[in-house]
Amino acid sequence: MVSPSPHFVVFANEKGGTGKSTSCVHTAVALAMRDVKVAVVDLDHRQRTVARYLENRSETARRREISLPTPAYRVFSSGSIEGFNALIAELAEEFEVIVIDTPGRDDPLARYAAARANTLVTPMNDSFVDFDLIGQVDAETFKVRKLSFYSELIFETRKTRAMADGVSIDWVVLRNRLHHMEARNQKRVGEALTELSRRVGFRVIPGLSERVIFRELFPSGLTLLDRGHLGELGVSHVAARQELREMITGLSLPLPQRAAMAQSAA
C-alpha cells in the first residue's frame, strides 16, 4: 500500500543554467530504475525541459521497442496554488516520491513548492557568480559577508515548516563542477560554501561536471544509467556515470525496502 505522504524532492534555483533540470530528470529516472513509484511535476511550463526529456525517452523506448524505466510526468501551467495542491493530492494517492522542477527565476509557485519539500536541492555551478545567489563574499578575503535574499528566504521557510508540522527540510546545495575551472578559485568557492553551510544548515554534495555527454543525451532521453542502450562508451562516459551515481547517493533520499534491495543488487 502506497503511503499517503510521499517524499517531496524539489529542485529550485532562481538562476538559470545551473544544471537544475538535468539533475532533476536524472534523479527521477534513477529512482524509477530502483522500482520507486515516482512522478515528476514540471513547473517551468515555458521551457518544459524535464517534460521534453521524458517525452524523448518515451519516444526512444517506442521507436527501439525497448523497456526504459520512466517516471510519470506532468506539466503544471496554471500557476494556481489551489490547482497545484489538487495535482499533488492526486499524485500522492499513487506515488511514493514526487520530484518537482521549478523555473530558473523568482516565481511564487516555486517558493510555495520549496516550502512543501522534504528534500530541497539547489544546484549551482562552481563559481562566485552562482554563489551570489546564496551569499556574498568579501572581494579581498573571499569570506562570506552576508546571506543573500534567497538564503534568508529558505532559512525562514525551513524554520516555519519545522514549527508548523515538525518537518525538517533537508536543504542540499548541489555543487556542479566545471572541469576547466582554476583550482585556486575552486578552492575558494568550496571554503565559502563550507562557511555558509554552517550558518544556514545546508549540505553540500558534488554534482555533475560540465560534460557534453549530458547535453547530447537529451534528444534520446537516455541517461548514463541506461546500460546496453548507449553504444560504445569512452572513459569520459564512465567518469560521468560515476559522478551521477555519487550525486544520487549523496541526496540520501529514503527508499522503500524493495527499492533499497534493488539498489544493493545493482
Side-chain angles (χ1 to χ4, degrees):
M1 182 176 181
V2 176
S3 167
S5 300
H7 189 90
F8 291 91
V9 185
V10 179
F11 286 79
N13 189 321
E14 294 181 358
K15 295 175 68 70
T18 61
K20 177 177 56 61
S21 295
T22 298
S23 303
C24 173
V25 74
H26 281 75
T27 298
V29 170
L31 290 172
M33 286 183 168
R34 294 173 182 176
D35 200 27
V36 176
K37 296 179 181 178
V38 55
V40 180
V41 178
D42 191 342
L43 294 184
D44 193 353
H45 60 90
R46 291 190 290 188
Q47 295 290 330
R48 299 182 73 255
T49 303
V50 169
R52 287 286 297 121
Y53 200 115
L54 295 174
E55 288 169 358
N56 293 343
R57 184 174 179 82
S58 297
E59 176 57 30
T60 294
R62 285 192 295 269
R63 185 176 64 254
R64 297 189 185 182
E65 298 182 341
I66 58 177
S67 176
L68 293 173
T70 303
Y73 55 95
R74 304 279 283 274
V75 178
F76 184 74
S77 59
S78 80
S80 160
I81 289 178
E82 292 78 10
F84 175 74
N85 284 335
L87 173 60
I88 293 302
E90 175 189 337
L91 295 176
E93 293 294 321
E94 181 178 355
F95 297 98
E96 297 161 315
V97 177
I98 297 176
V99 181
I100 301 173
D101 187 43
T102 63
R105 59 181 182 274
D106 184 21
D107 180 87
L109 192 55
R111 292 189 187 186
Y112 182 79
R116 296 275 316 250
N118 298 103
T119 302
L120 176 64
V121 186
T122 301
M124 60 169 280
N125 292 320
D126 213 16
S127 74
F128 281 112
V129 174
D130 278 22
F131 184 88
D132 196 64
L133 172 77
I134 56 177
Q136 298 177 15
V137 298
D138 183 271
E140 300 295 334
T141 65
F142 296 98
K143 297 293 184 182
V144 178
R145 290 196 299 110
K146 59 183 293 189
L147 305 184
S148 70
F149 173 78
Y150 184 78
S151 283
E152 292 177 345
L153 174 67
I154 299 303
F155 182 81
E156 290 300 320
T157 297
R158 296 172 75 202
K159 186 168 65 174
T160 301
R161 178 76 179 278
M163 293 176 62
D165 57 15
V167 172
S168 177
I169 298 175
D170 182 18
W171 185 15
V172 181
V173 172
L174 185 63
R175 191 179 179 187
N176 286 331
R177 296 158 289 179
L178 303 180
H179 65 278
H180 58 269
M181 179 174 230
E182 181 190 2
R184 183 174 62 177
N185 194 44
Q186 191 174 40
K187 182 173 182 290
R188 286 170 173 169
V189 172
E191 290 172 346
L193 279 170
T194 298
E195 181 183 348
L196 189 58
S197 70
R198 291 169 180 162
R199 290 196 193 183
V200 294
F202 57 73
R203 294 191 293 119
V204 182
I205 67 171
L208 308 174
S209 293
E210 183 62 24
R211 297 179 187 271
V212 175
I213 181 61
F214 288 105
R215 295 192 293 271
E216 290 181 339
L217 288 171
F218 175 82
S220 67
L222 294 173
T223 76
L224 287 173
L225 299 176
D226 291 303
R227 288 185 173 184
H229 303 302
L230 295 171
E232 186 176 351
L233 300 182
V235 174
S236 62
H237 295 80
V238 175
R241 175 187 285 166
Q242 184 60 31
E243 287 180 350
L244 176 57
R245 286 175 171 166
E246 290 175 358
M247 182 194 82
I248 300 299
T249 300
L251 290 174
S252 299
L253 301 177
L255 297 177
Q257 184 176 7
R258 69 180 188 287
M261 292 174 62
Q263 179 182 5
S264 299

